[in-house]
Amino acid sequence: MHNVYFYIIIAVFVLNFAWEQIMSYLNRKRMSPHIPKDLEGIYNPGEYAQQQAYQKTNSRFGLISGGFSFVVVLVVLLFGLFGWTDDVLREYTVHFLLLPLLFFGILFIIGQVIDLPFDWYIVFKIEERFGFNKLTPKLFVSDFIKQILLSAVIGGILLSAVLYIYQYTGKWFWLLAWLVVSGFSLLITFFYSEWIVPLFNKQTPLEEGELRTSIESFAEKAGFGLKNIYVMDGSKRSTKANAYFTGFGKKKRVVLFDTLMKELETEEIVAVLAHEIGHYKKKHVYQSMIISILTMGITFYILSLFLNNLQLAEALGGETASFHLGLIGFALLVTPISEMLGLAMNYISRKNEYEADSFAAQFGLGDALISALIKISVKALSNLNPHPLVVFWYYSHPTLLQRIEKCRSVKV
Ligand SMILES: [Zn+2]
């Protein structure tokens, strides 16, 4: 006999998958062998044909890999395998730290093993075929191992801290856990470039020269103290170009992928950075930090209501109420709320992107930004004609066409 939680969990899970399929179908329906009018002059016919082939391949692969994980999780839910795993582990330990750590450790390893062949296929079949891949099998394996170890260490520390707080504080669990986890994530953000990035990439200070001088003089003009400009060897994994800002306060730094420097002219790179500086100047960085800390607080509070819930444990096939089954049940049940939250966050993010674009355009860099964005998108064979509903739901950035329009509308 299943309880009501079981049926709600299954319904939420199935509906969410169906919704994702609808979204992906809407995008597929907009594909066409003829280049859409709006995209003429952005894609040439040859590149457009490549883009369509890339999109088709990815969409088909997404259907297969997404369908596969859907079936796996559905089987796990229908047969109560989360609870079964818990029952089995309980024969060995019921320790408040050890049991959940083992439980999530096993789930994590199984998840990684299932994903591995799919990731391999993406890199060595799809990305390779379209000329993006630079990874060697050796680097792929060492990345994989490093990522697993890193997640195990960070996840292990955080989970242990939360479990410890849960064991000893009871009612105020959510508040303390919230403080500790947000403190920890701020620490990671602050030291991201020094602790995490060097495990995977080499960063070298941008050498003196035209580019550095142009970036510095723009930063000065924009009233933005910028000392740390680095180049990263992104080309060891992919030909796709990128640039990002990280850290805050004294630790803020600009990181340019070497691939970006190869693709773009000096003024275009300055325009891309002007956009990023715009995010700082318009306080988007602090805004999103505050939003994510607040959401974390609300999440912990709601989570505290679900932990140690016997009915939830039974819905997942278990016999004993526990922290870890409560957490899994919570994560499944909360999907509709997190989708809504994601929707709101994407809306804010798109608004911020427009603001950052306008910021760059106000310094007379609008045209350079447009040509940089076009180059980056075309090089990456991006889908520039997504369905509006998909943009509304999933996109953290406006589409290229929307951004071009916005940049052109800014009066300098
Ligand atoms: Zn941006």
Side-chain angles (χ1 to χ4, degrees), residues 272 275-276 278-279 284 349 352-354 356-357 396-398 403:
V272 169
H275 167 99
E276 298 294 340
H279 281 309
H284 299 159
S349 170
N352 290 347
E353 291 305 321
Y354 280 133
D357 283 349
S396 61
H397 287 57
R403 293 179 73 176

Side-chain angles (χ1 to χ4, degrees), residues 36-65:
K37 233 188 163 37
D38 290 345
L39 297 183
E40 280 171 12
I42 292 179
Y43 271 122
N44 70 39
E47 292 160 343
Y48 178 74
Q50 270 292 90
Q51 188 279 323
Q52 291 287 292
Y54 186 50
Q55 190 180 337
K56 195 170 166 185
T57 309
N58 277 324
S59 164
R60 196 177 292 163
F61 182 76
L63 197 64
I64 295 168
S65 62

Side-chain angles (χ1 to χ4, degrees), residues 3 29 49 139 146 175 213 303 312 316 319 377 408 412:
N3 65 32
K29 258 188 59 171
L139 187 56
K146 281 187 215 167
L175 195 61
T213 317
L303 171 67
L312 209 47
L316 295 171
E319 286 165 1
S377 309
R408 293 210 169 120
V412 181

Side-chain angles (χ1 to χ4, degrees), residues 230-232 234-235 238-245 254-264 269 272-273 276 376 379-380 397:
Y230 285 83
V231 180
M232 196 169 95
S235 61
S238 169
T239 59
K240 290 180 179 169
N242 207 349
Y244 66 88
F245 250 85
V254 175
V255 179
L256 304 169
F257 279 37
D258 52 355
T259 40
L260 187 87
M261 292 173 57
K262 225 178 79 194
E263 300 296 327
L264 301 186
I269 296 178
V272 169
L273 292 179
E276 298 294 340
I376 295 171
K379 186 84 210 306
H397 287 57

Side-chain angles (χ1 to χ4, degrees), residues 253-396:
R253 72 162 76 183
V254 175
V255 179
L256 304 169
F257 279 37
D258 52 355
T259 40
L260 187 87
M261 292 173 57
K262 225 178 79 194
E263 300 296 327
L264 301 186
E265 309 291 330
T266 300
E267 203 197 5
E268 292 167 338
I269 296 178
V270 174
V272 169
L273 292 179
H275 167 99
E276 298 294 340
I277 290 174
H279 281 309
Y280 264 88
K281 280 287 185 184
K282 302 272 171 189
K283 307 246 182 311
H284 299 159
V285 178
Y286 294 102
Q287 180 204 56
S288 58
M289 223 174 318
I290 290 168
I291 292 180
S292 79
I293 288 179
L294 285 181
T295 4
M296 209 187 292
I298 298 168
T299 311
F300 268 118
Y301 177 71
I302 305 176
L303 171 67
S304 72
L305 307 176
F306 284 87
L307 294 175
N308 236 352
N309 180 320
L310 180 60
Q311 279 185 303
L312 209 47
E314 284 172 348
L316 295 171
E319 286 165 1
T320 320
S322 66
F323 178 94
H324 43 285
L325 289 180
L327 180 54
I328 300 260
F330 163 79
L332 289 161
L333 284 174
V334 89
T335 314
I337 298 175
S338 47
E339 285 285 308
M340 289 304 126
L341 215 58
L343 209 61
M345 304 266 247
N346 281 339
Y347 178 80
I348 295 172
S349 170
R350 288 194 302 270
K351 195 180 108 319
N352 290 347
E353 291 305 321
Y354 280 133
E355 280 183 25
D357 283 349
S358 303
F359 180 85
Q362 274 156 10
F363 282 91
L365 290 164
D367 288 335
L369 183 61
I370 291 173
S371 72
L373 291 173
I374 290 178
K375 277 188 190 173
I376 295 171
S377 309
V378 169
K379 186 84 210 306
L381 298 178
S382 310
N383 176 14
L384 300 183
N385 187 30
H387 193 280
L389 188 59
V390 178
V391 175
F392 176 72
W393 205 272
Y394 290 125
Y395 275 44
S396 61

Side-chain angles (χ1 to χ4, degrees), residues 2-7 9 77 80 310-318:
H2 290 299
N3 65 32
V4 62
Y5 280 112
F6 173 83
Y7 293 106
I9 286 173
L77 290 173
L310 180 60
Q311 279 185 303
L312 209 47
E314 284 172 348
L316 295 171

